[in-house]
Amino acid sequence: MEAGQKGDSQAAILVVSFGTSYNDSRDITIGAIEEAIAEAHPEYETRRAFTAQIIIDKLAERDGLEIDNVTDALDRAAADGFQNLVVQPTHLMDGLEYHDLINELEEYEDNFTNISVGKPLLTSNEDYAGVIEAITGATKEYDDGETAMVFMGHGTEAVSNEVYHIMQNKLQASGYDNYYIGTVEAEPTLEDVMEALKEHGGYKRVVLEPLMVVAGDHANNDMAGDEEDSWKTALKAEGYEVECLLKGLGEME
């Protein structure tokens, strides 16, 4: 959904995502989330904003697609006379980008009667349970005793990086011992995951999938790329048969 859907009130929902230049993945992940929100709340106008300016600029130059950054979206909503603004991020955790969003929204408190902000995906115990149910349900066909499911998260320097460790612990506590979580830019690392695979033993195949809303650059290159330092290449070098599922979490209802 590239354009907003108009309701009758003076209220709007701004869906804030990091963004992606992968058009196909964007439409079935971020777009699907926006469509679901718009359908659930027809009394609001649903709008889009991306936080990654480099992606916004690339889409404008490559595809002629104009997408607001958060500042532009807030200025536009204020200029259009909206009094109540609901901001729902598609962030996985309350990391650095989420805190940047909160800080920017504080600067606009005088522009609206009310600003409400939704929580990231992994906030409550119920959230973890829901995501675990979704990812294990979508991959149950691989549960053959010889396959490890490895999910790639982004990782962050913020304290909220603990969500990956929490997710791993909750997966194991729920009996999903063949599910592993790693990150591209923090911990657990790919090396940590490979060590865990070796300790378990018996795996012949590894299925890789992003623990990210969108299957974008990290998923296509760092995870599934043919380069020497990709996760797929590294795991193949260890003797595993590797299958990559380029599906973002946003594809799951």
Side-chain angles (χ1 to χ4, degrees):
M1 183 184 68
E2 307 299 349
Q5 295 190 6
K6 185 68 175 178
D8 297 326
S9 72
Q10 290 182 304
I13 300 176
L14 179 62
V15 184
V16 178
S17 305
F18 179 80
T20 181
S21 60
Y22 286 77
N23 294 342
D24 292 343
S25 183
R26 183 180 65 251
D27 291 341
I28 59 178
T29 55
I30 295 172
I33 292 170
E34 293 167 343
E35 289 285 359
I37 289 174
E39 290 175 6
H41 302 282
E43 72 276 18
Y44 289 79
E45 178 170 337
T46 301
R47 295 186 171 189
R48 166 186 290 176
F50 285 176
T51 59
Q53 189 63 47
I54 189 171
I55 290 175
I56 293 172
D57 293 342
K58 181 175 183 178
L59 291 173
E61 180 179 352
R62 187 190 69 190
D63 303 328
L65 181 60
E66 299 293 335
I67 296 176
D68 284 342
N69 59 31
V70 174
T71 301
D72 290 339
L74 292 172
D75 288 341
R76 193 186 305 278
D80 288 344
F82 289 107
Q83 297 301 308
N84 297 305
L85 184 67
V86 177
V87 180
Q88 179 57 58
T90 64
H91 300 140
L92 197 74
M93 67 188 77
D94 62 341
L96 300 178
E97 288 221 352
Y98 183 76
H99 288 286
D100 288 344
L101 174 62
I102 297 298
N103 291 335
E104 183 160 9
L105 291 175
E106 289 177 353
E107 299 176 6
Y108 280 81
E109 288 180 347
D110 294 337
N111 296 79
F112 302 93
T113 301
N114 182 66
I115 299 178
S116 302
V117 188
K119 298 294 185 182
L121 177 61
L122 293 177
T123 300
S124 68
N125 287 328
E126 290 76 14
D127 295 335
Y128 285 98
V131 173
I132 287 173
E133 181 180 359
I135 65 175
T136 56
T139 53
K140 59 185 177 181
E141 65 185 277
Y142 296 100
D143 189 12
D144 58 4
E146 297 182 341
T147 301
M149 296 298 308
V150 176
F151 281 82
M152 170 195 271
H154 186 278
T156 176
E157 297 176 358
V159 175
S160 55
N161 191 75
E162 67 179 3
V163 300
Y164 299 109
H165 299 282
I166 294 172
M167 177 67 81
Q168 182 70 74
N169 291 336
K170 287 183 178 294
L171 280 164
Q172 292 178 339
S174 300
Y176 298 107
D177 295 330
N178 61 320
Y179 282 73
Y180 300 87
I181 308 294
T183 68
V184 185
E185 298 186 2
E187 295 180 348
T189 64
L190 172 60
E191 289 71 23
D192 294 330
V193 171
M194 290 197 294
E195 184 62 31
L197 297 179
K198 289 179 182 178
E199 288 179 4
H200 180 279
Y203 291 129
K204 296 181 179 179
R205 177 171 62 165
V206 174
V207 176
L208 293 172
E209 188 166 358
L211 191 69
M212 305 175 186
V213 172
V214 175
D217 186 62
H218 284 304
N220 282 272
N221 296 311
D222 296 315
M223 187 188 82
D226 295 323
E227 293 77 11
E228 185 176 342
D229 59 349
S230 77
W231 285 30
K232 181 181 75 173
T233 301
L235 287 162
K236 279 187 173 181
E238 293 295 320
Y240 298 108
E241 174 189 343
V242 180
E243 180 176 346
C244 296
L245 302 179
L246 291 171
K247 295 181 179 180
L249 295 178
E251 296 184 48
M252 302 179 182
E253 289 189 23

